[in-house]
Amino acid sequence: RCARVNAAYERAVALAGRLSVSQPAPHLRYLAVAKSLAAGLPPLCSAGSTCSVPLAFLAAQVTETALKAYLLKSVTPKALASSKDRHRIDALWAQAVLGGLLLASAPTPAIQVLVKLPQKPYPLRYSDEGTIRLLFLPSAKELLTEVGHVLQVVSNSLLPSA
């Protein structure tokens, strides 16, 4: 019995030496991150939730990451990272639509609200001394629906069904 186990182990080691594991392409890594982050949206949308700011922050991140996933089909991660528009959801949206992504020509109303969140003055991250910011955020249901639509369109584009 030990001889068979040793022989099987030796065959497995030999086979493993011939295998190579490669990283998924950047656009697929970004898509995986967007989907992973999106899993956090429904709990923030639960009935009676008062998490509109965390929901908006996460929804903006999911949207940005999904659009970047689509754009990474045709640009390098370095080029995308060095772009002045790298956190501008509206600019990423326009580039993706121009590149063939099947979304409306301009972000939907709920996404329009998210456009301003990751830009200066970063209303969800920082507070200027002596400044009070009022945020008018879309409903949780509207955000979940619209961000989910963007993610689904990007996913369908990058992972066409067989």
Side-chain angles (χ1 to χ4, degrees), residues 42-60:
L44 291 173
C45 293
S46 64
S49 173
T50 57
C51 297
S52 59
V53 171
L55 173 62
F57 191 83
L58 187 58

Side-chain angles (χ1 to χ4, degrees), residues 38-121:
L41 294 173
L44 291 173
C45 293
S46 64
S49 173
T50 57
C51 297
S52 59
V53 171
L55 173 62
F57 191 83
L58 187 58
Q61 188 65 46
V62 170
T63 304
E64 179 183 324
T65 306
L67 292 170
K68 286 179 177 180
Y70 181 79
L71 293 170
L72 282 167
K73 280 186 357 178
S74 58
V75 300
T76 66
K78 186 175 182 176
L80 194 58
S82 65
S83 167
K84 65 179 174 35
D85 294 331
R86 69 182 179 272
H87 296 300
R88 293 196 45 220
I89 294 171
D90 56 340
L92 295 170
W93 184 290
Q95 290 172 33
V97 168
L98 189 62
L101 188 62
L102 300 175
L103 289 173
S105 60
T108 58
I111 303 293
Q112 283 286 354
V113 172
L114 301 180
V115 164
K116 296 178 180 132
L117 300 181
Q119 298 177 40
K120 287 182 180 180

